[in-house]
Amino acid sequence: MKKLFSNIKGDAFGGITAGIVALPLALAFGVSSGLGPQAGLYGAIFISFFAALFGGTNTQISGPTAPMTAVSMVVIAGIIAANDGSVEKALPAILTVFLLAGLIQIGLGAIGLGKYIRYIPYPVVSGFMTAIGVIILVTQILPAVGYYAKEDIELVGQFKPQAEEIILENILKEEAGEGILVLENFEETIRRSKLTTEDDIAKESKTLAKSASSGVLGTFKVLPRALKNINWLELILALSTIFIVYGFKRITTKIPSALVALIVVSGVAYFANLNYRPIEEIPTGLPIPNLEIFTNFSLASVTPYIFTAITLALLGAIDSLLTSVVADNMTKTKHQPNKELVGQGIGNSIGALFGGIPGAGATIRTVVNIKAGGKTKLSGMIAGVMLLIILLALGPVASKIPAAVLAGILITVGIGVMDYKGLKAIPALPKDIKFGPIKLSSEVLIMLVVLVLSTFWNLVYAVGIGLVIASLMFMKKIGDLTAERSDVKPLREETWADETEFPDRLKEEVFIKHLKGPLFFGSTADFQNLTLQIPDTASYVILRLGRMQYMDQSGLYAMEDMLQDLKSKGIDVLFVNLLKQPRYMMERIDIIPDFISEDHIFKNFKECLTWIRNNVKDEY
């Protein structure tokens, strides 16, 4: 406790500054997510406070981030669409997924997986981050030009037949749930269908139009219509915001340019009484827990999104721990990764209970905090309290912010979040794979696959596919490397220092094999060719295993097959310097002693050589 208050002045200034920086982004991410600006604010308040209190990085400032918001958008859009376009009906299921993601993060930290997050391949992270930037950038074009698909009467009208089909389908589902046999009772179906009003059809049509225009592909589909119906005032507000965000940085970086843009453009639009489109109204008063998460819990509505919750948890973990490393470098301290995951999980869980979108450690806000004097966890807690005060005192004022201003801020976020370092490195990376006559870099291929699939298909599946491809590429490289270093060569082509005294008269009868590196599923194919390379004159094979540190189940059975093949040819095998893990594996399935007896296992080559001299006869 004493340590917590050891730097009150610096922490207060750092926390207040970080909170102010977080405000425009929290509002923008909330709007972008589809749950409204208050969801972004609630997430920023609770995640910042509780992740700081329970986390393992003293100076970390947490809250909604671009990657977390992009994945959240997928969850929110999917669940809302499954609930007839009603945010109110979908909210409990959405928040349950977010709560589950937070609990998974707590679990990851509790079982000590924080230190393993760093093993996620860089090309996967790079492709994902660039895709996040592209998604945010593209999806903000429509609000920046003032186009909203659900308000385009002509477009909405195109979805009327589909809307009627969905309404009829829902009626049939209701009847099936009530045990009504539709084929025997058409009259009930007709009666219920007559209760459907034009407003019901229009509402469903608007939901379909909005859904069809969401995401990158949806934006491109309606972009021609949007460009024909540009709201020039909204576009000017968005462009002015972008201009100030980039222009003000040239004057000073001490004051966050996004906040300056928010205040200046919003102020001009409001006081000039311009006819702009404001963001959704932010509820006043203290945030209230959404208990419908528990009272209306439905496993069926959440089950399709469990993998997405895991992805959110892992993404938040990566995002937070990368920011922790940045904080360590700036403060010359060392964060606790597992404790940090527990803190982030608690923050996201509590944030979800109060209706907030999930978040993670935010690099820019953390850097601002450190530069402003923040040194302890108190700074992150103060940042959360600062945002709560802003919510309570300025909620009605914030509700007057133009939607186009937040779109402009998000466009700059999208541009900034792309991994330019990874993109610039593309020409320099070695081209290590071939597709016919075309040579490519495996890392570039992984990055592009994740980038394209994330942008145009599904963020969650794209990451999974990227990890699988990266793992397979890694396995192949290790397998090739192991095979290359473990080539079976006659003694006369490769002689180790302790093999120089090997009797020349026995070189036809004894074949020596040096195994270097692990014997695992990626290297078994070449190992299985061993018997084909052994000359017909050989009656003994010496396997030098001192550099084979590890053997998996695939390698174990490959060894068994090879030994069985050699035994059928009357060739005995001698093991030299067999290490602990491979020996344990071979003892489990009785390779030792069924194929290799104890008297054929030697601690070193000198003992083996003595045995060879005493037991092997010169026959050639």
Side-chain angles (χ1 to χ4, degrees), residues 196-360:
T196 303
T197 65
E198 284 297 322
D199 287 341
D200 293 331
I201 297 171
K203 183 180 177 183
E204 187 63 44
S205 299
K206 287 179 180 180
T207 300
L208 291 170
K210 182 180 178 182
S211 178
S213 64
S214 64
V216 174
L217 286 177
T219 299
F220 286 140
K221 284 178 185 176
V222 301
L223 190 57
R225 297 186 64 84
L227 296 177
K228 290 178 183 177
N229 297 278
I230 292 177
N231 184 317
W232 292 103
L233 173 60
E234 299 290 316
L235 180 58
I236 290 168
L237 292 175
L239 292 176
S240 300
T241 303
I242 295 169
F243 177 78
I244 293 175
V245 168
Y246 288 122
F248 195 77
K249 287 179 181 178
R250 294 176 176 270
I251 300 171
T252 179
T253 55
K254 291 184 178 179
I255 303 173
S257 59
L259 183 66
V260 173
L262 179 73
I263 294 171
V264 170
V265 181
S266 300
V268 170
Y270 178 75
F271 289 110
N273 202 25
L274 300 178
N275 186 27
Y276 64 86
R277 183 190 188 98
I279 62 174
E280 296 174 37
E281 188 173 345
I282 299 173
T284 56
L286 290 167
I288 300 171
N290 191 317
L291 298 180
E292 289 185 13
I293 293 175
F294 306 108
T295 58
N296 290 355
F297 177 75
S298 170
L299 188 62
S301 64
V302 176
T303 303
Y305 298 96
I306 288 177
F307 185 61
T308 309
I310 295 171
T311 303
L312 267 173
L314 290 173
L315 178 59
I318 297 166
D319 212 356
S320 300
L321 294 181
L322 286 175
T323 303
S324 296
V325 171
V326 173
D328 285 349
N329 291 334
M330 291 183 70
T331 59
K332 308 303 177 188
T333 56
K334 184 71 176 174
H335 73 280
Q336 298 171 268
N338 294 317
K339 190 176 179 182
E340 182 60 33
L341 289 190
V342 171
Q344 292 292 333
I346 292 172
N348 278 315
S349 299
I350 295 175
L353 290 174
F354 284 87
I357 59 174

Side-chain angles (χ1 to χ4, degrees), residues 146-181:
Y147 180 82
Y148 294 86
K150 65 180 182 180
E151 297 173 6
D152 186 337
I153 297 172
E154 186 181 338
L155 179 67
V156 170
Q158 295 175 12
F159 289 93
K160 187 176 178 180
Q162 191 178 341
E164 291 176 346
E165 181 183 337
I166 290 172
I167 290 170
L168 179 58
E169 186 180 332
N170 289 335
I171 290 173
L172 296 174
K173 284 180 180 177
E174 284 176 10
E175 292 181 1
E178 295 171 15
I180 297 172
L181 300 175

Side-chain angles (χ1 to χ4, degrees), residues 47-125:
I47 298 168
S48 179
F49 186 89
F50 289 103
L53 179 61
F54 295 105
T57 311
N58 288 341
T59 53
Q60 182 116 290
I61 304 294
S62 303
T65 61
M68 294 294 278
T69 303
V71 177
S72 300
M73 285 165 57
V74 177
V75 180
I76 293 164
I79 298 179
I80 288 176
N83 284 270
D84 306 323
S86 171
V87 176
E88 190 176 341
K89 284 172 64 178
L91 191 58
I94 292 168
L95 297 182
T96 302
V97 174
F98 294 162
L99 174 61
L100 181 60
L103 294 175
I104 291 170
Q105 282 187 321
I106 294 172
L108 292 175
I111 62 177
L113 289 183
K115 60 186 176 183
Y116 296 108
I117 297 294
R118 66 180 184 270
Y119 293 116
I120 292 180
Y122 181 80
V124 175
V125 177

Side-chain angles (χ1 to χ4, degrees), residues 533-549:
Q533 301 179 43
I534 296 173
D536 295 335
T537 59
S539 54
Y540 287 90
V541 171
I542 298 174
L543 290 184
R544 302 202 62 175
L545 306 174
R547 298 183 187 179
M548 189 187 78
Q549 309 92 336

